[in-house]
Amino acid sequence: MPSKKSPNPIDIHVGSRVRLRRMMLGMSQEKLGESLGITFQQIQKYEKGTNRIGASRLQHIATVLKVPVSFFFEDAPGTPEEAEGFGETQPTSYVVDFLSSSEGLSLNKAFVRIEDPKVRRRIVDLVRSLGGDD
């Protein structure tokens, strides 16, 4: 019996974007699964990229998570450079990884509630200084 092939990088990316958006909304895998009529285990497989998400299912997920389908493909591997906006060649998976962590998600949610742009700027400066970024 042949060994199972590894997940496609696009499927992994789309799954990570599903996870990111679900976490940004504070939605559990169970709740997303209920909304789609599938189990949370299936959501786990989608988020890891081990199971590919079909087009109609992806459209349904986008509706439930209140984003356009294109959200799931932003910064996907193999995106032409001219479509990347600023021509960055490094993948931005660190952003997804950060926002998928509980600390990153909490920090992001708290930060966006700060309305004063001067206060936001000072917080960015503080974090930079703590991180050693001059």
Side-chain angles (χ1 to χ4, degrees), residues 7-22 32 42-55 57-59 61-62 65 67-77 79 93 96 100:
N8 181 294
I10 298 290
D11 295 330
I12 293 170
H13 180 81
V14 168
S16 72
R17 298 287 291 185
V18 169
R19 182 177 197 280
L20 169 66
R21 181 61 182 163
R22 178 183 60 74
L32 179 56
Q42 182 63 45
I43 299 298
Q44 285 177 331
K45 291 176 183 179
Y46 285 158
E47 290 182 357
K48 290 178 185 169
T50 52
N51 282 16
R52 181 170 290 159
I53 305 172
R57 173 75 34 92
L58 190 60
Q59 178 66 54
I61 291 171
L65 298 180
V67 291
V69 171
S70 60
F71 171 85
F72 303 113
F73 295 95
E74 289 172 6
D75 300 318
T79 305
S93 62
V96 173
S100 295

Side-chain angles (χ1 to χ4, degrees), residues 17-126:
R17 298 287 291 185
V18 169
R19 182 177 197 280
L20 169 66
R21 181 61 182 163
R22 178 183 60 74
M23 291 182 75
M24 288 174 74
L25 294 174
M27 183 183 289
S28 68
Q29 290 178 330
E30 291 86 356
K31 179 71 176 157
L32 179 56
E34 282 175 26
S35 300
L36 300 170
I38 58 177
T39 65
F40 79 91
Q41 291 95 335
Q42 182 63 45
I43 299 298
Q44 285 177 331
K45 291 176 183 179
Y46 285 158
E47 290 182 357
K48 290 178 185 169
T50 52
N51 282 16
R52 181 170 290 159
I53 305 172
S56 58
R57 173 75 34 92
L58 190 60
Q59 178 66 54
H60 194 181
I61 291 171
T63 302
V64 171
L65 298 180
K66 299 177 176 73
V67 291
V69 171
S70 60
F71 171 85
F72 303 113
F73 295 95
E74 289 172 6
D75 300 318
T79 305
E81 279 189 45
E82 56 271 9
E84 291 183 13
F86 296 106
E88 295 174 2
T89 54
Q90 288 188 330
T92 54
S93 62
Y94 67 92
V95 174
V96 173
D97 292 344
F98 170 71
L99 289 175
S100 295
S101 71
S102 59
E103 297 90 356
L105 194 57
S106 295
L107 186 60
N108 188 57
K109 283 181 176 179
F111 186 80
V112 297
R113 286 193 299 263
I114 300 169
E115 294 181 14
D116 187 336
K118 289 179 183 174
V119 172
R120 290 171 78 143
R121 181 78 232 154
R122 289 176 63 199
I123 290 170
V124 170
D125 291 342
L126 171 65

